[in-house]
Amino acid sequence: MTTSASVPTEPEAAISSGDTVTDRLVEANKRYAAAFSDPGMDARPVLEVAVVACMDARLDLHDALGLELGDCHTIRNAGGVVTDDVIRSLTISQRALGTRSVVLIHHTGCGLESLTEEFRHELEMEVGQRPAWAVEAFRDVDQDIRQSMQRVRTSPFLLHTDDVRGFVFDVKTGLLREIDPT
């Protein structure tokens, strides 16, 4: 699989070998902007849904979920874990921008399954400062999705906690598997 940023679409868009990845992305943006027209959308998602997912590069959420630009808010982090910052984003999404549903997506083969909280200790030893955040590593993806659903459902800041569903995306098949919250 390639992206428009990795493969020039026309000869004048060729990237010289000395350019950085960021330079390639900026050039891709110039091509994008040349054909861009303001869709006239509001910041409120049309489908009133927020999707929380892992940042893994193998997850193309819009394609996997049949979403179009403007359909949802997308919140991504390592593991798709519901952290305080995710709750912050969901709170703004619901209270200021009208979302009512939350979809949580973890995936098979997640890098957090091979890490431990020891990662924080190693960072502290290396840089001389303990990270303020938890790694949120896990061994059981199904149980971690249940924990994430529980964090959303019990947050006092969220208005809409009745439509919170969790899934595991299979990176080999592209299929979602819904996880029972209990």
Side-chain angles (χ1 to χ4, degrees):
M1 181 173 142
T2 59
T3 66
S4 59
S6 62
V7 179
T9 57
E10 40 199 60
E12 63 269 17
I15 308 296
S16 66
S17 61
D19 289 342
T20 67
V21 171
T22 303
D23 292 330
R24 290 169 48 190
L25 298 175
V26 170
E27 287 302 314
N29 174 257
K30 288 177 185 173
R31 292 188 301 278
Y32 171 81
F36 184 80
S37 63
D38 179 2
M41 295 178 172
D42 187 277
R44 295 174 175 270
V46 172
L47 299 179
E48 298 181 343
V49 63
V51 178
V52 178
C54 185
M55 65 186 191
D56 192 293
R58 297 171 290 181
L59 278 69
D60 184 343
L61 292 175
H62 276 74
D63 274 356
L65 301 175
L67 296 168
E68 299 292 329
L69 183 66
D71 282 348
C72 73
H73 283 158
T74 306
I75 304 161
R76 296 181 79 158
N77 67 20
V81 177
V82 176
T83 61
D84 285 346
D85 193 58
V86 168
I87 294 294
R88 178 187 73 85
S89 294
L90 287 172
T91 301
I92 293 166
S93 177
Q94 286 190 358
R95 290 180 176 265
L97 296 165
T99 59
R100 301 184 62 81
S101 300
V102 178
V103 174
L104 305 170
I105 300 178
H106 285 22
H107 66 91
T108 58
C110 184
L112 285 187
E113 291 177 292
S114 62
L115 288 177
T116 66
E117 291 299 320
E118 181 67 18
F119 182 78
R120 288 178 73 224
H121 176 70
E122 292 167 1
L123 279 174
E124 181 180 10
M125 295 292 96
E126 180 182 328
V127 303
Q129 181 179 341
R130 169 170 272 151
W133 38 264
V135 174
E136 297 277 356
F138 55 86
R139 295 281 179 247
D140 182 337
V141 68
D142 290 18
Q143 182 55 35
D144 199 66
I145 251 310
R146 284 186 195 98
Q147 177 176 299
S148 291
M149 284 188 279
Q150 185 65 16
R151 285 178 177 172
V152 170
R153 287 188 172 128
T154 60
S155 173
F157 306 108
L158 299 175
L159 295 171
H160 307 288
T161 58
D162 55 323
D163 188 14
V164 177
R165 294 171 64 185
F167 301 86
V168 175
F169 177 86
D170 188 315
V171 298
K172 302 273 190 225
T173 67
L175 288 173
L176 289 175
R177 178 173 53 84
E178 188 159 9
I179 302 301
D180 186 340
T182 58

